Amino acid sequence: MQSFPEPLKHIVPYIKRAAELEEKHPVFSYYCNFYVLGKIFAVQKANNDPEVRDVLMAYLDICETLKSNLPLTDDDHDSFLSFAVGIFKNAHQVDMAGAATAKTAQTYFAASHFLEVYSVFDKDMQKVNSMKIFAKKRAGLISSSLKAGIPIAPPPGGKSSDGVDVSNEMAELEKEAQEEEEKTPHGEQPTIGYNSPTTEYNAPTTSTSSPEEITPVEPEPVVQPAQSSGFGNMSTTRDFYKDMAKVQSNCRAIISAIDFEDLPEAKRLLEVSLAMVNNHSK
């Protein structure tokens, strides 16, 4: 099993979340992977690590393939928010009833991850930031209490032990959900969402592909043009293939940079790629 480079260890939980959703909620799985791609891109930009770059190239291919095969729509924003909040409510209802278990902590952790992934839609995270913080803190408190054998008291008034309050956010989200439900024609049900908050989050125990077994995809070498095409002065065929493979990788990274609105990085990679091409075109 391939392990991730040290600078990417912090994104492994999100990769697991993507794998858990792959079968039943492939669209949501894609957005988890897209979130991961953004984090990998940021790490690579800061560190310029060859190992991180390999993972970045692999994830670019993964996201491009998923995106081309999924029915992504403008409504995914609301659907994903409903899903993430539903996971949170599953854990919160059990917690408020004073029946929190290790499974409740796991559900809170999963909810905090999904609420963080929601940032691909809303960078400000105004709707769910307190809820995400609450979920992380309650998950940690429940886990530590279980290990220490300490009884787990429900959060007073919907607040975590350090006073993080989510009651206002939940009331606002409930109101929005009610308004959306009133717009839905009678007899129709949303195709995606958590409509049963009494059921806690259950992650699939098996997955057809483990996120930790991703093999970086090496770009296919460009077929060498004939001598008459202007490449007759290239130093060696091996150097040509090597540089063109880098150009292909850079092209994927350029697309990613544009997706994440990092135009300076896109420009830098484009200039590097053009220099390589020009070097073999002399």
Side-chain angles (χ1 to χ4, degrees):
M1 180 179 294
Q2 178 184 347
S3 59
F4 281 83
E6 190 62 34
L8 298 180
K9 295 293 186 182
H10 66 289
I11 65 172
V12 170
Y14 298 94
I15 295 172
K16 291 180 178 178
R17 297 284 90 90
E20 290 166 0
L21 299 179
E22 184 177 352
E23 182 177 350
K24 292 185 177 181
H25 300 293
V27 171
F28 296 162
S29 178
Y30 163 76
Y31 287 115
C32 290
N33 279 313
F34 187 74
Y35 172 87
V36 168
L37 176 62
K39 293 301 179 182
I40 298 174
F41 183 83
V43 171
Q44 173 60 17
K45 181 181 178 182
N47 297 278
N48 195 25
D49 186 320
E51 291 185 345
V52 174
R53 184 177 180 82
D54 287 342
V55 178
L56 174 62
M57 292 302 104
Y59 256 85
L60 280 168
D61 285 338
I62 290 171
C63 287
E64 287 174 4
T65 300
L66 290 173
K67 186 175 182 179
S68 64
N69 290 286
L70 288 172
L72 305 181
T73 71
D74 293 339
D75 294 333
D76 293 343
H77 175 284
D78 294 328
S79 296
F80 191 91
L81 177 60
S82 175
F83 172 82
V85 172
I87 300 296
F88 176 90
K89 289 170 67 176
N90 292 343
H92 191 253
Q93 181 170 342
V94 174
D95 192 17
M96 290 297 292
T101 64
K103 184 177 179 182
T104 310
Q106 293 171 358
T107 304
Y108 267 137
F109 271 127
S112 71
H113 295 148
F114 292 131
L115 291 167
E116 172 63 26
V117 170
Y118 180 68
S119 64
V120 302
F121 300 105
D122 181 2
K123 293 181 180 179
D124 294 334
M125 297 282 288
Q126 293 181 352
K127 283 187 177 181
V128 298
N129 194 50
S130 295
M131 195 175 294
K132 181 188 72 174
I133 295 172
F134 180 100
K136 286 184 177 180
K137 291 184 179 297
R138 283 301 293 177
L141 177 64
I142 293 170
S143 296
S144 60
S145 296
L146 288 172
K147 289 180 181 179
I150 301 173
I152 306 168
K159 297 182 180 180
S160 61
S161 58
D162 58 354
V164 177
D165 191 349
V166 296
S167 56
N168 290 336
E169 281 184 312
M170 291 190 69
E172 181 182 347
L173 289 166
E174 289 284 1
K175 180 180 178 181
E176 291 182 3
Q178 180 64 32
E179 292 175 351
E180 187 65 28
E181 184 177 346
E182 291 174 356
K183 296 178 184 177
T184 304
H186 181 69
E188 293 186 12
Q189 293 293 330
T191 56
I192 299 175
Y194 266 56
N195 298 318
S196 302
T198 55
T199 304
E200 287 191 76
Y201 173 78
N202 290 304
T205 56
T206 59
S207 176
T208 55
S209 61
S210 170
E212 298 188 13
E213 296 178 341
I214 296 172
T215 302
V217 179
E218 293 293 337
E220 295 181 4
V222 176
V223 177
Q224 179 183 352
Q227 295 291 335
S228 60
S229 64
F231 286 80
N233 294 327
M234 60 185 176
S235 56
T236 64
T237 300
R238 181 176 181 182
D239 287 342
F240 172 77
Y241 284 148
K242 181 179 179 181
D243 285 350
M244 291 306 102
K246 289 181 179 178
V247 170
Q248 287 183 319
S249 295
N250 284 346
C251 287
R252 294 188 179 94
I254 289 169
I255 294 172
S256 178
I258 293 173
D259 284 341
F260 291 103
E261 301 179 359
D262 191 347
L263 298 185
E265 178 67 6
K267 180 180 178 182
R268 185 188 71 80
L269 291 170
L270 182 58
E271 290 173 345
V272 169
S273 300
L274 287 174
M276 289 182 179
V277 172
N278 289 334
N279 182 54
H280 290 288
S281 300
K282 295 177 182 178

